[in-house]
Amino acid sequence: MCEKKGVPGASALTEEEKKNGVRIALAGNPNCGKTTAFNAWTGAHQHVGNYPGVTVEKKEGWTRCGNQKVLLVDLPGAYSLTPYSMEERVVRDVLAPENAVERPRAVIDVIDSATLERGLMLAVQIRELGQPVVLACNMMDEAKRAGIAIDLEKLSARFGVRAVPTVARSGEGLDRALALALEKAQKPCEPLVLAYGPDVDPALQRMSALISEKKLLVERYPARWTAIKILENDEVVLDQIRKADPDAARDLEAQRDALAAHLSSTHDTTPDAVIADYRFGFINSVLKDGVLRKDNAKDRLAFTDKLDKVLTNTIFGPVIMLAVVYFMFWTTFIVGAYPQGWVEDFFGWLGELMTGVLPEGLVQSLVVDGVIGGVGGVLSFVPLILIMFLIVSFLEDSGYMARMAYMLDRVMRAFGLHGSSVMPFIIAGGIAGGCAIPGVMATRTMRSEKERMATMMTLPLMTCGAKIPVFLMLTAAFFAENQAGIMFAVTLCGWAVALLVSLFLRKTVFRGESTPFVMELPPYRLPTLRSILTHTWERGWMYIKKAGTVILAISVILWAALTFPALSEKQSAPFEEKIAALEAQIAPLDEQIAALKQQLEGAPADAAMSRALADATEQKAALEEQKSETENALASETVRNTWGGRIGQFVEPVFRPLGFDWRTDVALISGVAAKEAILSTMGTAYSIGETDPDEPDSLSARLAADPGWSKTVALALMLFVLIYSPCFVTLVVLKNEAGGWRWLFFSMAFNTGVAYLVAWAGTLVGRMIWG
Ligand code: GDP
Ligand code: MG
């Protein structure tokens, strides 16, 4: 029975471990509460979500058990240890890593007690891998309410592992589970050996004997486990063996083929099907034996089912979904308008204060135009963003977001994507306010490489949190009467373009089969206030932090780019001379007007004198206008002469068909560094060029008053920002995940090209509507 050769674990803690901590892994099916438990143990704020596929990478965190330090590893959810999906491979590689030192001493397998059978399927496989396991039978509160009773004593005895009831949300039972895991980690533990029947077992025995003899992967996996994987056609393990010993690999494959041929001819089945059947058989025999009782069990999902009859109904479902998204934008604008006004007023006041306090010159310009104009502009959208995130967090935690994904799955399939593309799209901002980076990471759950690539390339088109303030600013300036409607339309437009583009990509660059999809819907749960506030704050804080760091730095750089070099004496002289000349003409007129007014007071009915006064006033107004025009021309010449201005003007002809002027072009270029920078750069560029102190000081108001801007230009800019090149960090993540620099350049060039076309089409439509 003992096959443990070289597999570590199963001994007292080393001095090193006592001092530096013991590694314990947290495994389980998706959505069973692992991350909730992890956060409770470690005090971390990892993302918890009431839908599968939230944790894609492993996360590590420290906790204590008595005076022993423990390093907990939170794993993505998995149903098995086959290498079919990225998550399952992550789980497997963490549990049995290449470097034995990193192998966890024990595994806490978190199980949703209401779906015990399925949870045990993974537990069996971890035990086969030779890891000591403690079962944390989680969601006991829900199971109890549903009338499900689990005899944990019996389960522990039959299954040969300790089972502990837990409620991760309240922290109940977690300490005990950790203490048991630590205890288990120090005791010898043999891999579980299941019987796989008269056909498979003899083959397994022969194969594992060969594996042990040739010492194939024995440092990493129990020999019997390796043999099972070969029977299951696990290419990853096979490749590892082929590298170590090609002859043995051929031998093992021949044995597998012989068994497969035998099973196919006698029972019309395959080795992996037989293996799965026996595992099920084992679990059922454990559960039937009085472990699981559902005597007076109410249907646990009765409420969820009833709600889903309406919310995912073929007709009502999509209508309700659209209404929910519209409602979210509507609430954001209605409620958010007040606090946003306060924040804007605050920055306006701060700008004026600084203008008064600081002496006129470079420092004043840096603080007022660069920092307050740039960062302040980004920060003034914090209230709106927080409200939006609050609603998104509620949708997510309640389980409704998963329904959205479920309904959208039908749409995705029609465009060559996959059901599991939906979550990445939503995480990237499909509903509003996400981020493409975790979105790209979330595509790791996808099994088909082609579908995954198409998803990764198109999800940057969603309205991520950084693009939102640009849209909010433009809608406030040009579509104030229907902000929610326009935001809604932009969101839908992002989806439409993303779907069409992926259809195109799947017919050309990523042509290939589509794979089937089964999605599991979590039950509806009333979110805890704490979790909603935490989520809202996490997202909001990320935004604020970015404004205070990256965006601040970009603002200062852009301010410098739009300030230096200053005009030379020779360049500015003509303007200044002209201004001086105009002033010289205005001064005597002023005197004349004052004199005439005085005289008129004595003789109010003098018609000639009244006419003279009117003439003089008119003359003065004309001269003042000339002066103001010259001042504007000087300001504009000054900015045009700067490095930023020169770059902007260089690319201006390219964007002129879309109606963007060079200031917008500079903003778009800086937006590749981070999308928030579009807003901050426009803030800086438009405030530097501003000479009239009576002008409005919010960027929206400035644009609305600018003759170069119109509804059509605003629409084109929104479409362009929505679609063009992903930001720098997303591009780097894309390069890593898609495997190659060419995808970075592809995404940059292709998206910008599509953006140009769509924005141009938008210009045509805009001209038709608004003239
Ligand atoms: P993971 O996918 O396994 O990491 O699961 P999460 O930790 O993200 O949790 C999934 C959902 O289950 C969240 O909505 C949690 O609030 C909820 N949840 C977690 N543990 C419990 C529990 O013990 N009882 C109840 N009722 N809900 C829980
Ligand atoms: Mg998780």
Side-chain angles (χ1 to χ4, degrees), residues 103-240:
R103 192 183 174 95
R105 277 304 199 110
V107 179
I108 299 179
D109 185 356
V110 184
I111 287 184
D112 176 353
S113 302
T115 56
L116 192 58
E117 300 92 323
R118 216 177 40 199
L120 290 179
M121 200 59 180
L122 180 67
V124 167
Q125 297 181 50
I126 299 176
R127 286 291 301 112
E128 284 187 311
L129 192 55
Q131 295 280 13
V133 168
V134 171
L135 294 178
C137 293
N138 195 33
M139 309 226 180
M140 265 303 172
D141 52 335
E142 278 190 7
K144 267 193 200 127
R145 238 177 289 137
I148 296 173
I150 301 172
D151 186 335
L152 290 169
E153 286 299 311
K154 232 177 204 165
L155 176 63
S156 301
R158 296 274 163 186
F159 202 67
V161 301
R162 295 300 296 271
V164 185
T166 62
V167 180
R169 259 196 193 181
S170 64
E172 220 178 298
L174 292 182
D175 286 344
R176 192 150 160 253
L178 189 61
L180 278 176
L182 205 57
E183 190 188 313
K184 277 262 181 186
Q186 304 173 53
K187 282 197 191 137
C189 175
E190 300 299 328
L192 173 72
V193 177
L194 282 190
Y196 286 110
D199 291 310
V200 175
D201 262 343
L204 270 181
Q205 245 143 40
R206 274 196 306 275
M207 289 165 77
S208 44
L210 179 67
I211 291 166
S212 304
E213 184 199 316
K214 302 264 178 193
K215 297 206 176 351
L216 298 170
L217 308 177
V218 288
E219 295 292 324
R220 204 166 169 189
Y221 311 125
R224 189 179 168 90
W225 190 84
T226 309
I228 292 172
K229 289 294 132 180
I230 294 171
L231 290 185
E232 286 179 330
N233 281 326
D234 187 320
E235 277 302 319
V236 177
V237 165
L238 264 170
D239 267 344
Q240 287 165 352

Side-chain angles (χ1 to χ4, degrees), residues 423-445:
M423 226 51 236
F425 266 75
I426 291 181
I427 294 172
I431 304 302
C435 175
I437 296 153
V440 171
M441 301 309 269
T443 59
R444 288 188 172 185
T445 56

Side-chain angles (χ1 to χ4, degrees), residues 28-39 47-55 74-77 110 138-142 145 166-170 396-399 522 525-528 531:
N29 294 162
N31 216 34
C32 63
K34 292 177 299 300
T35 304
T36 309
F38 177 84
N39 287 348
H47 202 96
V48 179
N50 193 13
Y51 50 75
V54 178
T55 314
D74 183 24
L75 292 173
V110 184
N138 195 33
M139 309 226 180
M140 265 303 172
D141 52 335
E142 278 190 7
R145 238 177 289 137
T166 62
V167 180
R169 259 196 193 181
S170 64
E396 189 178 285
D397 289 4
S398 63
R525 295 194 171 97
L526 195 63
T528 57
S531 109

